[in-house]
Amino acid sequence: MLSEAHLLERCNAIEGMSFSQLAMALQLRIPTHPLQRKGWLGQAVELALGTTAGNQSRPDFIELGIELKTLPINQSGKPAESTFVTTIPLLTVHQQTWQNSTCFAKLRRVLWLPVEGDTRIAFEHRRLGQALLWSPTPDEEAILCQDWSELTFMIGTGRLEKIDARYGEYLQVRPKAANAKSLCYGFNEEGGRFLTLPRGFYLRTRFTEALLGRHGL
DNA sequence: AAGTGATCATAA
DNA sequence: TTATGATCACTT
């Protein structure tokens, strides 16, 4: 039975490794083209730590309810990118509540793995940092809940096209698609359906930056 | 430089 | 196509 302690031991075992050392240990090849290695590290770390969710809409470590997120840190010591949380089922998300939402399921407990994301360092030389097992504070959760509720309400009431990435204090809604041709259905203002880009919830960098700061990282 | 919108890889 | 893993690239 996997426990949080076991999980942290696994993290200790890979801490400090370079991406190429990790690839070696897992017998993986790092794609040569930068465009082809998006997401590579995340998949490699999943393999190394033994996640169990596959492509289900559930936290990576199902039994523990823990979501795994790599967090690239730029040359300024801050998160280089926003963090994708979950795809939004545009036609049904309004039936969820924050407490039973897939978004909260993934954010209630997160294993953050900071990694070097400084583009001046060759990809294969970047190293894995120290993992952090985290949960939102009540204050953070209140704002996440507020963001989620407002955005979900807009989606459910046909105002999706009015939403852009500027909405939300911690959470934002942005496209999450293979390309502009990959479409799905959402509600229009008449309550009918229209084709639109798939969307996802993302955490702003100012949020992940602050949570790292609170833990002295 | 930061932030938003667009895109890339893989599995089922 | 849907989910997962994200970062790229252009605008501001």
Side-chain angles (χ1 to χ4, degrees):
Chain A
M1 175 62 183
L2 182 65
S3 65
E4 291 194 345
H6 278 127
L7 192 46
L8 288 171
E9 282 175 24
R10 292 181 186 177
C11 292
N12 282 334
I14 60 172
E15 183 177 333
M17 287 177 77
S18 67
F19 295 0
S20 65
Q21 287 175 319
L22 182 66
M24 193 94 76
L26 298 172
Q27 298 193 300
L28 297 177
R29 291 188 54 252
I30 296 176
T32 2
H33 196 292
L35 288 181
Q36 299 182 326
R37 62 193 186 204
K38 286 189 191 181
W40 179 87
L41 183 67
Q43 304 279 193
V45 169
E46 283 196 342
L47 240 188
L49 297 181
T51 57
T52 53
N55 74 336
Q56 295 177 264
S57 302
R58 307 184 60 185
D60 292 297
F61 298 96
I62 293 178
E63 329 72 55
L64 298 175
I66 294 175
E67 175 71 9
L68 171 64
K69 291 293 179 196
T70 57
L71 189 58
I73 305 300
N74 66 20
Q75 55 192 276
S76 316
K78 304 195 296 187
E81 293 284 350
S82 55
T83 302
F84 171 71
V85 180
T86 189
T87 299
I88 307 173
L90 297 176
L91 297 177
T92 56
V93 69
H94 65 281
Q95 295 167 4
Q96 300 180 15
T97 62
W98 166 249
Q99 281 293 327
N100 69 23
S101 68
T102 59
C103 188
F104 180 52
K106 293 186 178 196
L107 292 180
R108 61 190 310 160
R109 196 123 182 95
V110 180
L111 182 64
W112 295 102
L113 185 62
V115 302
E116 285 181 328
D118 183 342
T119 50
R120 297 171 308 181
I121 306 173
F123 188 82
E124 60 273 19
H125 292 160
R126 295 178 199 166
R127 287 165 289 135
L128 306 176
Q130 181 174 21
L132 167 67
L133 202 43
W134 166 93
S135 290
T137 64
D139 285 357
E140 285 170 332
E141 196 194 316
I143 293 179
L144 289 168
C145 172
Q146 183 177 309
D147 286 344
W148 182 89
S149 303
E150 290 175 2
L151 292 164
T152 293
F153 182 70
M154 288 184 74
I155 292 168
T157 53
R159 288 178 290 150
L160 175 61
E161 295 304 83
K162 292 198 161 49
I163 298 178
D164 63 31
R166 291 170 294 187
Y167 282 81
E169 186 171 344
Y170 292 162
L171 277 178
Q172 61 182 177
V173 169
R174 305 224 307 277
K176 169 63 168 157
N179 54 58
K181 292 171 190 159
S182 113
L183 301 171
C184 68
Y185 285 102
F187 289 120
N188 61 26
E189 289 170 277
E190 288 75 47
R193 291 158 193 217
F194 76 108
L195 281 172
T196 186
L197 239 32
R199 314 298 165 96
F201 283 117
Y202 292 76
L203 286 174
R204 295 183 180 281
T205 56
R206 68 163 169 267
F207 181 79
T208 50
E209 179 186 353
L211 85 83
L212 283 184
R214 285 195 292 102
H215 290 82
L217 297 173

